[in-house]
Amino acid sequence: MNTATPQRSAPRPIKGSWEDLHAQAQQHARNYNDEAITLYQRVFNGLMALPPAARAAGNKRLYNLMMVAGVELQGYLNLRDRYDDSLAVIDKILSAAEEGDKPQIVELKSEVLLQSDHDAEAIALLRSELEAGDADVAEWGHLIAAYIRLKQPENALQVVDEMSAWIEAQSAAGTLAADEVREAKFYQERLRAAALMEMGRMDDVIAIFNDLYGQGGADAFSPHMLYTRLTQDGKYEEALRYIDRDQARPVRAGFWRGLIHRYMGETSKAERIWEAATKEDIVRGDTASIVEHILTLYYLGDPKGEGLELMLRTQREQQRISWVVFLLTGLGWILRGDYGAAHSNFKLAVAQVKSMGESKTLPHHFWRFLQDLSPADQAAQFAKYFDTRTEALATDEPLGSTPDSASAETAVSGTDQ
């Protein structure tokens, strides 16, 4: 199933075709015109009414279009706070989805339930997936992440402990090979650390990191998860020690090292670190850290416009555009003093996040960057797009404070998240 933004250079569909109606719906949605709802419904309901064999013909062309239209319809309904209607659409999608697509749609449903304050229903849905008998480690992660999103870390820790019995049972049955069992246990402990972070138990998190890092290095527990939180908590010296362990990601490490020195009042040192992190050979050797690379250019003032141009080119050329791209583009426009363009891009970023049930605002950790990069008298106008809660609370994302490799690659290359 492909729910990506269509490539801008795609040929115009035949007038009156399903694809044409879908393109019209997308255009209205981009303009926040509710006529999009009617058009999406025509496409989605029309294709739902076809026999499954007809949808499957031609390499599943109509099936894929049905799924895309359904997901985009529910997303637009989320944007308009019509969550009950969105959930009804999701249930219809599930009734026609192929088995391989259902886990993704179930996860989407749980996100929309959480966003619409149907917390008990979301937890029950995720529990039912675990009890179905064919659960995998990702589904355990979804339930734990839901509890963390609900600010219920004690319940998250209880599920982490339950996961132990499941891993042992899978190992005994031979469902998971030895290396898979090891990876599942690493993942389990990272989830435990995420819950402990929410509780402020950083000494326990550090103990888990030291244990896992000793066993499997950054693949077992990325230092990034730890040092971003320590930075947030103002524990700069301690954070620097863990940044030094992020050897495989010099661009990412350089950005955060420079940021800490900036916060410590060592501006010249921060700039020297950032300049070193933007050298061509360093950037070429760490393409996964594109988000941090753009942020580094921005903190240096982006005098040549390289960061903003890369984000604009991504919007023009890529088939799949992450909300992170729109957010970074907005930050780039702030540096140029074009606040109207910044608002437009932040609005697009929020629309994407909200449409997928992930949140109603952009993650809190990006608010820090906006405040750093905006003139002091301009930041407040952008607060409505961000979670601006106090720094004392834990990070939103269990595995780090900025998008890691998967999200970063999505931002530039358009690969699936």
Side-chain angles (χ1 to χ4, degrees), residues 32 88 94 116 169 185 213 288 316 331 368 371:
Y32 305 100
L94 283 169
S116 58
K185 289 181 177 179
Y213 194 83
R316 290 193 301 268
L331 292 178
R368 169 197 290 270
Q371 289 178 298

Side-chain angles (χ1 to χ4, degrees), residues 194-205:
L196 291 168
M197 276 189 185
E198 187 70 24
M199 301 170 74
R201 291 170 54 180
M202 290 305 295
D203 288 344
D204 292 329
V205 175

Side-chain angles (χ1 to χ4, degrees), residues 350-363:
V350 170
Q352 284 202 8
V353 169
K354 188 174 181 182
S355 70
M356 297 309 292
E358 296 174 7
S359 179
K360 294 181 180 179
T361 54
L362 299 173

Side-chain angles (χ1 to χ4, degrees), residues 9 11 66 79 94 132 171 173 187 203 230 245 265 275 288 310 332 337 405:
S9 59
M66 177 192 72
L79 192 60
L94 283 169
S171 176
Y187 181 52
D203 288 344
L230 291 170
R245 296 194 186 188
E275 290 284 3
L310 179 56
S405 56

Side-chain angles (χ1 to χ4, degrees), residues 37-52:
I37 297 173
T38 301
L39 288 166
Y40 274 132
Q41 288 173 332
R42 284 180 62 187
V43 177
F44 178 63
N45 292 333
L47 293 175
M48 281 282 295
L50 295 178

Side-chain angles (χ1 to χ4, degrees), residues 233-306:
D233 290 348
K235 298 178 180 179
Y236 299 140
E237 295 292 348
E238 196 167 5
L240 286 170
R241 290 199 294 272
Y242 292 101
I243 288 174
D244 289 340
R245 296 194 186 188
D246 202 3
Q247 297 293 318
R249 301 287 291 276
V251 173
R252 181 173 68 185
F255 169 71
W256 283 94
R257 185 180 289 111
L259 191 67
I260 287 175
H261 284 290
R262 182 184 192 271
Y263 292 155
M264 293 170 69
E266 301 169 350
T267 305
S268 295
K269 186 172 184 178
E271 290 178 353
R272 289 196 299 272
I273 292 168
W274 285 330
E275 290 284 3
T278 60
K279 291 184 181 299
E280 185 177 349
D281 59 328
I282 300 297
V283 174
R284 191 166 53 245
D286 184 13
T287 56
S289 295
I290 185 63
V291 173
E292 289 84 2
H293 174 57
I294 298 298
L295 287 171
T296 300
L297 291 172
Y298 286 173
Y299 272 82
L300 287 169
D302 199 23
K304 298 180 182 179
E306 298 169 83

Side-chain angles (χ1 to χ4, degrees), residues 137-138 140-142 144-145 148-149 160 163 183-198 205 208-209 212 218-229 246 249 252 256 292 365 394-408:
V137 291
W140 285 93
H142 295 160
I144 293 164
I148 292 174
R149 178 173 173 177
V160 171
M163 192 175 173
E183 292 302 317
K185 289 181 177 179
F186 285 163
Y187 181 52
Q188 178 189 24
E189 290 306 302
R190 292 197 300 272
L191 292 167
R192 187 187 307 279
L196 291 168
M197 276 189 185
E198 187 70 24
V205 175
I208 292 173
F209 172 84
L212 265 63
D219 290 337
F221 195 145
S222 172
H224 174 253
M225 178 180 175
L226 184 55
Y227 65 67
T228 52
R229 176 53 191 259
D246 202 3
R249 301 287 291 276
R252 181 173 68 185
W256 283 94
E292 289 84 2
H365 39 268
T395 55
D396 293 292
E397 296 175 332
L399 300 180
S401 290
T402 59
D404 213 331
S405 56
S407 295

